[in-house]
Amino acid sequence: MSETEGQDTRRTIVLTGASRGIGHATVKRFSREGWRVITCSRQDFSTDCPWPAGPEDHIRVDLADPEDIGFAISEIRRRLEANGSRLDALVNNAAISPKVNGGDRMDSIHTPMHVWRDVFQVNFFAPIMLARGLYAELQTAGGSVVNVTSIVGSRVHPFAGTAYATSKAALASLTREMAADFGPAGIRVNAIAPGEIDTAILSPGTEKIVETIPLRRLGKTAEVADVIYFLCSGQSAYVNGAELHINGGQHV
Ligand SMILES: NC(=O)c1ccc[n+]([C@@H]2O[C@H](COP(=O)([O-])OP(=O)(O)OC[C@H]3O[C@@H](n4cnc5c(N)ncnc54)[C@H](OP(=O)(O)O)[C@@H]3O)[C@@H](O)[C@H]2O)c1
């Protein structure tokens, strides 16, 4: 740790959903660059899947519970005091994508409303609650917010449920609105929209989709983490309100 007069001078990121998949690759990427990574997810720090941030920078929070998010924000702000109450990046990565038994798509006719509400709470409301709650710290650092959307926010997908897809479309619109509202404070807000990335979220049958992707392969979690890193770095200093496709050309 680099410290000046007791202060942690590392750049700091708050990352939701770090325990596996894209989030896990992201925590490794930022740690490698010397960032302090504060991770948030439902489970305790996992010793089966340890990440470099370590248990001391992990916060247990259920993003499906608005009250719990409030507690988490207070705890994050307290922990950021060690960094001069500066937050360089907030990455809203955690999401849920419920499926019917067997992994089939939950359509708009049958999806129970309580499922729809849970999906929107985790995938859509949690990101704006966190960004608003950490606004002052982001402003102090001239920080960056990255919302993780999805290719399914802009097209019907054979496996992704309707609640998930609409939550990601809403998050893409929110990114545009936030870019306008947070920009004057020096905070950039962008999104990344992954396509088929090699993680546990994928359904059986994805091989068929891969045959139609111009690059003819799944994406790697590390390839997504690289783009998130780019959007949180000075290399993208004039990029604001963008949604970057990471899909091997699947959207063309
Ligand atoms: N994989 C893909 O192909 C793909 C494609 C397009 C978009 N995406 C997007 O990329 C992001 C990451 O996807 P992934 O496949 O890496 O996801 P994943 O493997 O399913 O991991 C989801 C993460 O979110 C956390 N999480 C879930 N519900 C939570 C809750 N209520 N409160 C707090 N944390 C919660 C999980 O941790 P806990 O279980 O510990 O809570 C986990 O760390 C998501 O936004 C997803 O929609 C993925």
Side-chain angles (χ1 to χ4, degrees):
M1 179 190 298
S2 51
E3 292 195 22
T4 313
E5 293 172 2
Q7 267 217 354
D8 188 342
T9 57
R10 289 176 297 176
R11 279 175 298 167
T12 308
I13 174 179
V14 168
L15 169 68
T16 64
S19 54
R20 52 182 188 267
I22 291 167
H24 184 59
T26 304
V27 73
K28 286 201 290 192
R29 180 72 165 91
F30 279 75
S31 297
R32 205 166 68 227
E33 302 289 342
W35 287 54
R36 178 184 181 196
V37 185
I38 298 177
T39 55
C40 306
S41 52
R42 279 168 305 183
Q43 311 299 323
D44 277 330
F45 179 82
S46 163
T47 46
D48 293 341
C49 181
W51 54 88
E56 71 281 359
D57 269 337
H58 181 62
I59 293 170
R60 221 178 128 175
V61 56
D62 183 358
L63 299 173
D65 178 351
E67 204 181 341
D68 210 22
I69 296 178
F71 293 133
I73 289 168
S74 306
E75 180 56 23
I76 293 166
R77 297 187 73 178
R78 192 187 66 73
R79 293 191 191 196
L80 287 174
E81 286 169 12
N83 292 80
S85 292
R86 299 167 56 88
L87 178 61
D88 299 278
L90 166 66
V91 176
N92 289 305
N93 166 71
I96 51 172
S97 178
K99 307 246 164 43
V100 291
N101 287 342
D104 286 346
R105 174 175 178 268
M106 287 188 114
D107 69 16
S108 44
I109 300 167
H110 300 104
T111 299
M113 291 314 297
H114 69 89
V115 171
W116 217 308
R117 277 190 282 272
D118 281 350
V119 169
F120 263 72
Q121 172 56 41
V122 175
N123 297 7
F124 177 73
F125 288 118
I128 185 59
M129 290 175 78
L130 287 169
R132 281 159 45 146
L134 299 170
Y135 182 93
E137 287 76 7
L138 285 162
Q139 181 174 26
T140 302
S144 177
V145 178
V146 178
N147 293 323
V148 179
T149 61
S150 169
I151 190 170
V152 311
S154 56
R155 67 201 53 215
V156 175
H157 187 277
F159 309 122
T162 195
Y164 175 76
T166 52
S167 74
K168 292 298 188 178
L171 187 59
S173 300
L174 176 65
T175 302
R176 183 189 67 228
E177 300 292 323
M178 289 173 70
D181 296 339
F182 285 53
I187 304 166
R188 296 183 297 112
V189 184
N190 293 289
I192 56 147
E196 312 297 329
I197 310 300
D198 196 359
T199 61
I201 216 172
L202 297 178
S203 296
T206 303
E207 327 72 72
K208 281 272 160 235
I209 300 178
V210 170
E211 290 168 13
T212 68
I213 297 173
L215 286 185
R216 298 284 193 277
R217 66 170 177 87
L218 295 174
K220 298 180 187 135
T221 55
E223 292 170 325
V224 180
D226 284 344
V227 181
I228 294 174
Y229 185 75
F230 164 72
L231 286 175
C232 296
S233 74
Q235 302 286 305
S236 62
Y238 203 54
V239 181
N240 188 31
E243 186 181 28
L244 300 187
H245 302 293
I246 313 173
N247 61 28
Q250 193 177 356
H251 67 288
V252 296

